[in-house]
Amino acid sequence: MKLMIQKLKKYLNFKITETNSLYPFIFTLFFVFLTFQYPFSTLESIFYDFRVRYDLGSSTKNQIVVITMDEESDEFLGEQYPYTYASHYRLFSKFLNEQPKIINYLLNPLGPESEMDGKNFIKFKKAIKSYKSTGGYFRFGVKMDVWGEQYPPIGLKEFGYSLAVLNRDDLEFSKDKVVRRAILNISGDDILHMWTANKFRKFLGKNKLESHNLKGAFYQRDLDATVVSFRYSSSPMEKDKQIVKIPFHKVVVGNFPKGFFKDKIVIVGPSYISNSGDYSFTPFDRESLKAPNIFLHGLIIQSLVENKTVIPISKTFTYIFSLLIVLFLSIFINKAQPTSGLIITISLMCGILLFSFCIFSIFGYWLYTTHLIMSIFIVYYIWVPFRAIAEYKTRFAIQEEAKLIKEVESLKQNFISLMSHDLKTPVAKISGMVDIIMMQVRGQTEIENNLNMVMDSTKELNNFITSILDLTKIESSKLNLQKTSKDVNQIVSSVVEGFMFEAERKEIKLNMELSPLYPIKIDVGLFRRIASNLVENAIKYSGKGKVVDIKTWDDEKWVYIEVIDNGVGIGKNDIKRVFDRFYRVKNDASHSIKGTGLGLYLVKYFVELHGGKISVESELGRGTRFKVQLLNV
Ligand code: ADP
């Protein structure tokens, strides 16, 4: 059972590693495709409205004046909406001499109710006629209600009327009743906004707009209408006061500056705070009673006059763009560190939002952003767990490695104690015993020679153990310097003394030239090892009858110790490597001369541990010179 579980684990482990990047990629593609099936209009409307609200391409142009019929005017005139013809006539007589370019009457006045009103009705009609005869444009904007289109009363109809309706997003897109689109025509008839905008464009010398070839316009089947998303040239909210507005009664009493209506589009209509039907939701605010309809009519006309409409970019583009993002981000997140993955994800998201915002503000292009943003989220959230698994594995491997290193470390530790106690002590005992036997058998040459050989091998073994022990200590950083102030010459001479017997045996002459020195701070034990190794090598690698010079001197900064021999020398290729671990020169001599290849490696290490330097010069067949320099402090 245990075995089976282990096998299963192994199998799963293998699968995950092998398909590390394929699985998340397939998952990502699957989910991204899934999102393509749904429009996420509510989310998109948030992005859309943001672009509209902070549209850098929008500008408030002072081309429209709105005359509002409201509670204040009711009170002032002592009348009620839609007011008597006397008031309408008074309104006209006050501002017509100002020569407004176009007048939109967005109300349905009833027929005259009294004889008196009848007289004023005629006067009102006359006023419109004379206004039109001087080149002004007048038109009623009528509503559509459950009984259909409402018409102006007989007698006024002849002045022209068009539907003036707002399109609230209640059937399409976000279905949140926000005004985002303008209706251009219904069942083929132009809407008041289009009529007014074209008249004004003519006045400005601009070409006529046709609803079927307006940028971004599309046919909405359920309304049988051509619509277009328009760009708000300013905030439609009453509190922002960006639209020029004047109450009805102020015009009636002539309370407005001269030239106020000159060449303007004047929109007359109701805006009663008590009537929520006079207000709409807009991308700027979704609270009621903030944006009066009459302002929205003005803004739609303004956007058409400027021909500033929104052009939706095809969804296919968004889908292709999304897939490219998936590809790029997947590769990046898979390769990069988690933090850079997160940074690039956030930057990409901000970049897309910024890009969509810019192309909207500059060109009026509406890039459908939701799918792009969602794709980024999906990539990120699908890849993160996979990355976490991979990360966990690496961490696990590192932990295992650390454990192993610890184990090796403790093995080394055991090895050190084994070497130092369990091996060194018996070796010391052997050499002690050999010494004693040598004394006992003095004079018996053959036995003495044999014992000398035992002694040599014991020394060799001891050297070997010491070197290995040092190496182990170095590698586990267990070597601490114990510095004391000492005269280098003293140690050098005692080391050389120690080799006198050996040198004599090999008929080698040891010369010392020691200049007087000040004591310096050194680890005596290690320095002894440095000196004896160099002298020992010089003796070892020089043939019979050679000379070894040992010199010391100093200057202000350094103390120099030089060991020079006129022995076999070291070749050019070998000299670069003599300080390497376990490196031994391969020549005829090296076979017969015993060694570990650790001596010079340790010497260099010890010298550098003291902050010193070691160098070597040599010539094959002529000899070798090792120079050690230690800090003169
Ligand atoms: P070992 O002496 O144990 O082989 P070392 O690290 O002390 O190891 O020396 C490395 C090699 O450098 C030796 O094998 C030897 O060939 C060469 N070498 C060292 N000192 C001398 C010398 N004075 N003359 C010639 N060769 C030398």
Side-chain angles (χ1 to χ4, degrees), residues 123-143:
K123 278 191 192 165
F124 179 62
K125 270 178 68 173
K126 268 194 186 151
I128 297 174
K129 252 189 208 152
S130 76
Y131 167 65
K132 283 184 83 171
S133 67
T134 56
Y137 295 102
F138 179 91
R139 187 154 273 233
F140 282 105
V142 294
K143 281 189 192 160

PDB file of all heavy atoms in Angstrom, residues 123-143:
ATOM      1  N   LYS A 123     -50.478  86.512 -32.005  1.00  0.00           N
ATOM      2  CA  LYS A 123     -49.266  87.336 -31.907  1.00  0.00           C
ATOM      3  C   LYS A 123     -48.012  86.436 -31.885  1.00  0.00           C
ATOM      4  O   LYS A 123     -46.998  86.724 -32.525  1.00  0.00           O
ATOM      5  CB  LYS A 123     -49.289  88.155 -30.604  1.00  0.00           C
ATOM      6  CG  LYS A 123     -50.076  89.408 -30.667  1.00  0.00           C
ATOM      7  CD  LYS A 123     -49.740  90.191 -29.394  1.00  0.00           C
ATOM      8  CE  LYS A 123     -50.661  91.351 -29.177  1.00  0.00           C
ATOM      9  NZ  LYS A 123     -50.555  91.852 -27.810  1.00  0.00           N
ATOM     10  N   PHE A 124     -48.131  85.361 -31.136  1.00  0.00           N
ATOM     11  CA  PHE A 124     -47.014  84.401 -31.005  1.00  0.00           C
ATOM     12  C   PHE A 124     -46.647  83.808 -32.360  1.00  0.00           C
ATOM     13  O   PHE A 124     -45.481  83.762 -32.761  1.00  0.00           O
ATOM     14  CB  PHE A 124     -47.439  83.306 -30.001  1.00  0.00           C
ATOM     15  CG  PHE A 124     -46.409  82.227 -29.785  1.00  0.00           C
ATOM     16  CD1 PHE A 124     -45.150  82.514 -29.256  1.00  0.00           C
ATOM     17  CD2 PHE A 124     -46.685  80.893 -30.104  1.00  0.00           C
ATOM     18  CE1 PHE A 124     -44.218  81.503 -29.056  1.00  0.00           C
ATOM     19  CE2 PHE A 124     -45.753  79.885 -29.909  1.00  0.00           C
ATOM     20  CZ  PHE A 124     -44.512  80.199 -29.369  1.00  0.00           C
ATOM     21  N   LYS A 125     -47.712  83.425 -33.092  1.00  0.00           N
ATOM     22  CA  LYS A 125     -47.513  82.862 -34.426  1.00  0.00           C
ATOM     23  C   LYS A 125     -46.809  83.860 -35.341  1.00  0.00           C
ATOM     24  O   LYS A 125     -45.870  83.524 -36.069  1.00  0.00           O
ATOM     25  CB  LYS A 125     -48.860  82.484 -35.050  1.00  0.00           C
ATOM     26  CG  LYS A 125     -49.279  81.056 -34.740  1.00  0.00           C
ATOM     27  CD  LYS A 125     -50.619  80.712 -35.319  1.00  0.00           C
ATOM     28  CE  LYS A 125     -50.610  80.666 -36.820  1.00  0.00           C
ATOM     29  NZ  LYS A 125     -51.891  80.174 -37.374  1.00  0.00           N
ATOM     30  N   LYS A 126     -47.305  85.108 -35.230  1.00  0.00           N
ATOM     31  CA  LYS A 126     -46.732  86.163 -36.077  1.00  0.00           C
ATOM     32  C   LYS A 126     -45.244  86.336 -35.765  1.00  0.00           C
ATOM     33  O   LYS A 126     -44.416  86.516 -36.658  1.00  0.00           O
ATOM     34  CB  LYS A 126     -47.477  87.486 -35.825  1.00  0.00           C
ATOM     35  CG  LYS A 126     -48.632  87.683 -36.769  1.00  0.00           C
ATOM     36  CD  LYS A 126     -49.095  89.131 -36.689  1.00  0.00           C
ATOM     37  CE  LYS A 126     -50.334  89.306 -37.524  1.00  0.00           C
ATOM     38  NZ  LYS A 126     -51.190  90.370 -36.993  1.00  0.00           N
ATOM     39  N   ALA A 127     -44.974  86.299 -34.460  1.00  0.00           N
ATOM     40  CA  ALA A 127     -43.573  86.488 -34.035  1.00  0.00           C
ATOM     41  C   ALA A 127     -42.682  85.397 -34.636  1.00  0.00           C
ATOM     42  O   ALA A 127     -41.589  85.671 -35.135  1.00  0.00           O
ATOM     43  CB  ALA A 127     -43.481  86.456 -32.514  1.00  0.00           C
ATOM     44  N   ILE A 128     -43.184  84.154 -34.618  1.00  0.00           N
ATOM     45  CA  ILE A 128     -42.386  83.048 -35.167  1.00  0.00           C
ATOM     46  C   ILE A 128     -42.187  83.270 -36.664  1.00  0.00           C
ATOM     47  O   ILE A 128     -41.083  83.123 -37.195  1.00  0.00           O
ATOM     48  CB  ILE A 128     -43.071  81.677 -34.925  1.00  0.00           C
ATOM     49  CG1 ILE A 128     -43.199  81.385 -33.435  1.00  0.00           C
ATOM     50  CG2 ILE A 128     -42.272  80.549 -35.575  1.00  0.00           C
ATOM     51  CD1 ILE A 128     -43.983  80.128 -33.100  1.00  0.00           C
ATOM     52  N   LYS A 129     -43.273  83.655 -37.307  1.00  0.00           N
ATOM     53  CA  LYS A 129     -43.220  83.863 -38.757  1.00  0.00           C
ATOM     54  C   LYS A 129     -42.167  84.903 -39.106  1.00  0.00           C
ATOM     55  O   LYS A 129     -41.331  84.698 -39.990  1.00  0.00           O
ATOM     56  CB  LYS A 129     -44.595  84.318 -39.251  1.00  0.00           C
ATOM     57  CG  LYS A 129     -45.288  83.213 -40.033  1.00  0.00           C
ATOM     58  CD  LYS A 129     -46.534  83.754 -40.687  1.00  0.00           C
ATOM     59  CE  LYS A 129     -47.515  82.603 -40.836  1.00  0.00           C
ATOM     60  NZ  LYS A 129     -48.898  83.029 -40.823  1.00  0.00           N
ATOM     61  N   SER A 130     -42.255  86.048 -38.359  1.00  0.00           N
ATOM     62  CA  SER A 130     -41.314  87.113 -38.713  1.00  0.00           C
ATOM     63  C   SER A 130     -39.880  86.687 -38.402  1.00  0.00           C
ATOM     64  O   SER A 130     -38.944  87.030 -39.116  1.00  0.00           O
ATOM     65  CB  SER A 130     -41.660  88.418 -38.001  1.00  0.00           C
ATOM     66  OG  SER A 130     -41.264  88.337 -36.656  1.00  0.00           O
ATOM     67  N   TYR A 131     -39.729  85.873 -37.333  1.00  0.00           N
ATOM     68  CA  TYR A 131     -38.377  85.372 -37.001  1.00  0.00           C
ATOM     69  C   TYR A 131     -37.845  84.501 -38.137  1.00  0.00           C
ATOM     70  O   TYR A 131     -36.698  84.635 -38.589  1.00  0.00           O
ATOM     71  CB  TYR A 131     -38.441  84.583 -35.687  1.00  0.00           C
ATOM     72  CG  TYR A 131     -37.207  83.761 -35.408  1.00  0.00           C
ATOM     73  CD1 TYR A 131     -35.970  84.376 -35.176  1.00  0.00           C
ATOM     74  CD2 TYR A 131     -37.260  82.364 -35.393  1.00  0.00           C
ATOM     75  CE1 TYR A 131     -34.842  83.620 -34.942  1.00  0.00           C
ATOM     76  CE2 TYR A 131     -36.129  81.599 -35.156  1.00  0.00           C
ATOM     77  CZ  TYR A 131     -34.922  82.236 -34.930  1.00  0.00           C
ATOM     78  OH  TYR A 131     -33.797  81.494 -34.694  1.00  0.00           O
ATOM     79  N   LYS A 132     -38.713  83.639 -38.630  1.00  0.00           N
ATOM     80  CA  LYS A 132     -38.304  82.740 -39.714  1.00  0.00           C
ATOM     81  C   LYS A 132     -37.977  83.520 -40.989  1.00  0.00           C
ATOM     82  O   LYS A 132     -37.054  83.168 -41.725  1.00  0.00           O
ATOM     83  CB  LYS A 132     -39.393  81.698 -39.986  1.00  0.00           C
ATOM     84  CG  LYS A 132     -39.407  80.597 -38.934  1.00  0.00           C
ATOM     85  CD  LYS A 132     -40.400  79.523 -39.232  1.00  0.00           C
ATOM     86  CE  LYS A 132     -39.858  78.506 -40.202  1.00  0.00           C
ATOM     87  NZ  LYS A 132     -40.752  77.357 -40.337  1.00  0.00           N
ATOM     88  N   SER A 133     -38.795  84.590 -41.187  1.00  0.00           N
ATOM     89  CA  SER A 133     -38.572  85.364 -42.411  1.00  0.00           C
ATOM     90  C   SER A 133     -37.229  86.082 -42.391  1.00  0.00           C
ATOM     91  O   SER A 133     -36.672  86.419 -43.425  1.00  0.00           O
ATOM     92  CB  SER A 133     -39.725  86.352 -42.624  1.00  0.00           C
ATOM     93  OG  SER A 133     -39.669  87.314 -41.586  1.00  0.00           O
ATOM     94  N   THR A 134     -36.679  86.292 -41.184  1.00  0.00           N
ATOM     95  CA  THR A 134     -35.357  86.963 -41.123  1.00  0.00           C
ATOM     96  C   THR A 134     -34.212  85.946 -41.153  1.00  0.00           C
ATOM     97  O   THR A 134     -33.071  86.263 -40.846  1.00  0.00           O
ATOM     98  CB  THR A 134     -35.227  87.834 -39.853  1.00  0.00           C
ATOM     99  OG1 THR A 134     -35.472  86.975 -38.730  1.00  0.00           O
ATOM    100  CG2 THR A 134     -36.182  88.989 -39.840  1.00  0.00           C
ATOM    101  N   GLY A 135     -34.555  84.689 -41.454  1.00  0.00           N
ATOM    102  CA  GLY A 135     -33.481  83.674 -41.603  1.00  0.00           C
ATOM    103  C   GLY A 135     -33.301  82.788 -40.395  1.00  0.00           C
ATOM    104  O   GLY A 135     -32.390  81.955 -40.365  1.00  0.00           O
ATOM    105  N   GLY A 136     -34.143  82.955 -39.387  1.00  0.00           N
ATOM    106  CA  GLY A 136     -34.015  82.098 -38.197  1.00  0.00           C
ATOM    107  C   GLY A 136     -34.713  80.762 -38.432  1.00  0.00           C
ATOM    108  O   GLY A 136     -35.570  80.632 -39.299  1.00  0.00           O
ATOM    109  N   TYR A 137     -34.310  79.757 -37.683  1.00  0.00           N
ATOM    110  CA  TYR A 137     -34.953  78.439 -37.784  1.00  0.00           C
ATOM    111  C   TYR A 137     -35.718  78.152 -36.509  1.00  0.00           C
ATOM    112  O   TYR A 137     -35.192  78.337 -35.407  1.00  0.00           O
ATOM    113  CB  TYR A 137     -33.906  77.346 -37.994  1.00  0.00           C
ATOM    114  CG  TYR A 137     -33.166  77.469 -39.301  1.00  0.00           C
ATOM    115  CD1 TYR A 137     -31.869  77.991 -39.354  1.00  0.00           C
ATOM    116  CD2 TYR A 137     -33.778  77.071 -40.497  1.00  0.00           C
ATOM    117  CE1 TYR A 137     -31.195  78.112 -40.550  1.00  0.00           C
ATOM    118  CE2 TYR A 137     -33.103  77.184 -41.697  1.00  0.00           C
ATOM    119  CZ  TYR A 137     -31.810  77.711 -41.719  1.00  0.00           C
ATOM    120  OH  TYR A 137     -31.152  77.824 -42.897  1.00  0.00           O
ATOM    121  N   PHE A 138     -36.930  77.686 -36.688  1.00  0.00           N
ATOM    122  CA  PHE A 138     -37.743  77.374 -35.523  1.00  0.00           C
ATOM    123  C   PHE A 138     -38.308  75.968 -35.682  1.00  0.00           C
ATOM    124  O   PHE A 138     -38.675  75.551 -36.775  1.00  0.00           O
ATOM    125  CB  PHE A 138     -38.901  78.371 -35.395  1.00  0.00           C
ATOM    126  CG  PHE A 138     -39.787  78.084 -34.221  1.00  0.00           C
ATOM    127  CD1 PHE A 138     -39.544  78.656 -32.976  1.00  0.00           C
ATOM    128  CD2 PHE A 138     -40.867  77.227 -34.353  1.00  0.00           C
ATOM    129  CE1 PHE A 138     -40.354  78.370 -31.893  1.00  0.00           C
ATOM    130  CE2 PHE A 138     -41.678  76.932 -33.269  1.00  0.00           C
ATOM    131  CZ  PHE A 138     -41.428  77.508 -32.039  1.00  0.00           C
ATOM    132  N   ARG A 139     -38.336  75.238 -34.593  1.00  0.00           N
ATOM    133  CA  ARG A 139     -38.925  73.888 -34.674  1.00  0.00           C
ATOM    134  C   ARG A 139     -39.361  73.411 -33.293  1.00  0.00           C
ATOM    135  O   ARG A 139     -38.698  73.683 -32.293  1.00  0.00           O
ATOM    136  CB  ARG A 139     -37.887  72.914 -35.253  1.00  0.00           C
ATOM    137  CG  ARG A 139     -38.455  71.530 -35.521  1.00  0.00           C
ATOM    138  CD  ARG A 139     -37.672  70.843 -36.604  1.00  0.00           C
ATOM    139  NE  ARG A 139     -38.193  71.185 -37.916  1.00  0.00           N
ATOM    140  CZ  ARG A 139     -38.550  70.277 -38.842  1.00  0.00           C
ATOM    141  NH1 ARG A 139     -38.444  68.992 -38.584  1.00  0.00           N
ATOM    142  NH2 ARG A 139     -39.007  70.634 -40.008  1.00  0.00           N
ATOM    143  N   PHE A 140     -40.520  72.763 -33.299  1.00  0.00           N
ATOM    144  CA  PHE A 140     -40.968  72.142 -32.054  1.00  0.00           C
ATOM    145  C   PHE A 140     -40.288  70.790 -31.903  1.00  0.00           C
ATOM    146  O   PHE A 140     -40.062  70.079 -32.885  1.00  0.00           O
ATOM    147  CB  PHE A 140     -42.489  71.906 -32.080  1.00  0.00           C
ATOM    148  CG  PHE A 140     -43.277  73.157 -31.811  1.00  0.00           C
ATOM    149  CD1 PHE A 140     -43.924  73.827 -32.842  1.00  0.00           C
ATOM    150  CD2 PHE A 140     -43.388  73.648 -30.516  1.00  0.00           C
ATOM    151  CE1 PHE A 140     -44.646  74.971 -32.600  1.00  0.00           C
ATOM    152  CE2 PHE A 140     -44.125  74.793 -30.270  1.00  0.00           C
ATOM    153  CZ  PHE A 140     -44.753  75.462 -31.310  1.00  0.00           C
ATOM    154  N   GLY A 141     -39.950  70.466 -30.666  1.00  0.00           N
ATOM    155  CA  GLY A 141     -39.459  69.118 -30.382  1.00  0.00           C
ATOM    156  C   GLY A 141     -40.560  68.421 -29.613  1.00  0.00           C
ATOM    157  O   GLY A 141     -40.981  68.901 -28.559  1.00  0.00           O
ATOM    158  N   VAL A 142     -41.061  67.324 -30.163  1.00  0.00           N
ATOM    159  CA  VAL A 142     -42.199  66.681 -29.499  1.00  0.00           C
ATOM    160  C   VAL A 142     -41.804  65.338 -28.909  1.00  0.00           C
ATOM    161  O   VAL A 142     -40.794  64.754 -29.283  1.00  0.00           O
ATOM    162  CB  VAL A 142     -43.382  66.496 -30.478  1.00  0.00           C
ATOM    163  CG1 VAL A 142     -43.928  67.833 -30.899  1.00  0.00           C
ATOM    164  CG2 VAL A 142     -42.973  65.655 -31.671  1.00  0.00           C
ATOM    165  N   LYS A 143     -42.628  64.905 -27.964  1.00  0.00           N
ATOM    166  CA  LYS A 143     -42.337  63.650 -27.258  1.00  0.00           C
ATOM    167  C   LYS A 143     -43.106  62.516 -27.876  1.00  0.00           C
ATOM    168  O   LYS A 143     -44.010  62.714 -28.673  1.00  0.00           O
ATOM    169  CB  LYS A 143     -42.775  63.782 -25.803  1.00  0.00           C
ATOM    170  CG  LYS A 143     -41.823  64.537 -24.936  1.00  0.00           C
ATOM    171  CD  LYS A 143     -42.284  64.383 -23.514  1.00  0.00           C
ATOM    172  CE  LYS A 143     -41.570  65.329 -22.590  1.00  0.00           C
ATOM    173  NZ  LYS A 143     -42.332  65.502 -21.365  1.00  0.00           N
TER     174      LYS A 143
END
